Amino acid sequence: MAKVAFLLASDFEDSEMKNPYEEIKKAGHETVIIGNARGVVCKGKKNTVSYQTELAAGEADANDFAAVIIPGGSAPEELRVNQDTVDFVKGLYNKSKVIAGICHGPQVMISADILNGKEITCYKGIRDDVINSGAKYLDEEVVVSQNIITSRTPNDEPAFIREILAKLN
């Protein structure tokens, strides 16, 4: 089974963390919650769930993981300004590991400079940022472009989870 990182900071979109996290675990994969710092309690923006980071991005080794999942909400904005977090995502990308982001999750990918030439979807509010990063924006529930998986909103979670599990298996 694969070892899967979840990048998290407070004010994430609750279901975009909870549902993929539970489905990945249910499928038998190992999950590790990574943030800008270790031991931080991250609360969802709707306050229905909270998780504690198990590792700081600077402590995480991209060689140890098969994938990283980046939930949306406001959390990606906080994550993308931490160079260790950006470097972790770029390290996974450089090893052709799975990078999955939903809603605002692609903001971290933009900062890691890994979207040029890819087809990407996201929350429409960051569509121009994705395009300006060199990606082709598609308004679809899920887009798989090589090792990058993206979705738009909580409504797209079933397709997002399905494609992540397909890549992991």
Side-chain angles (χ1 to χ4, degrees):
M1 293 276 98
K3 188 172 183 180
V4 179
F6 281 81
L7 279 187
L8 210 59
S10 279
D11 295 323
F12 58 90
E13 180 63 47
D14 299 45
S15 68
E16 292 174 357
M17 172 62 186
K18 180 181 183 284
N19 295 333
Y21 183 76
E22 289 178 359
E23 290 300 316
I24 298 295
K25 284 184 83 139
K26 190 165 79 176
H29 300 289
E30 180 184 352
T31 57
V32 180
I33 300 171
I34 297 175
N36 290 342
R38 176 197 288 251
V40 175
V41 175
C42 303
K43 295 182 180 177
K45 72 180 194 175
K46 294 184 175 136
N47 222 17
T48 64
V49 290
S50 64
Y51 300 88
Q52 184 167 338
T53 58
E54 300 166 278
L55 276 179
E59 301 169 320
D61 183 345
N63 292 310
D64 295 341
F65 293 88
V68 62
I69 299 172
I70 311 166
S74 302
E77 189 68 36
E78 182 178 333
L79 292 164
R80 74 186 301 193
V81 298
N82 182 293
Q83 193 60 48
D84 288 335
T85 302
V86 170
D87 289 345
F88 175 68
V89 171
K90 191 170 193 98
L92 284 162
Y93 175 79
N94 288 338
K95 294 176 184 325
S96 298
K97 307 286 182 89
V98 175
I99 315 287
I102 186 168
C103 191
H104 286 77
Q107 287 179 311
V108 180
M109 299 178 207
I110 292 168
S111 294
D113 193 25
I114 62 171
L115 296 183
N116 191 36
K118 303 294 186 298
E119 293 183 334
I120 299 295
T121 194
C122 59
Y123 175 69
K124 64 184 176 185
I126 64 165
R127 173 188 57 213
D128 293 342
D129 303 320
V130 162
I131 293 167
N132 289 335
S133 75
K136 179 181 179 186
Y137 172 79
L138 301 175
D139 186 13
E140 298 175 9
E141 69 177 355
V142 66
V143 175
V144 179
S145 188
Q146 295 171 344
N147 59 322
I148 297 177
I149 302 168
T150 52
S151 282
R152 302 169 299 193
T153 68
N155 292 338
D156 301 330
E157 287 169 21
F160 183 64
I161 293 165
R162 179 190 71 232
E163 293 301 329
I164 293 167
L165 288 171
K167 282 276 192 193
L168 291 176
N169 297 331

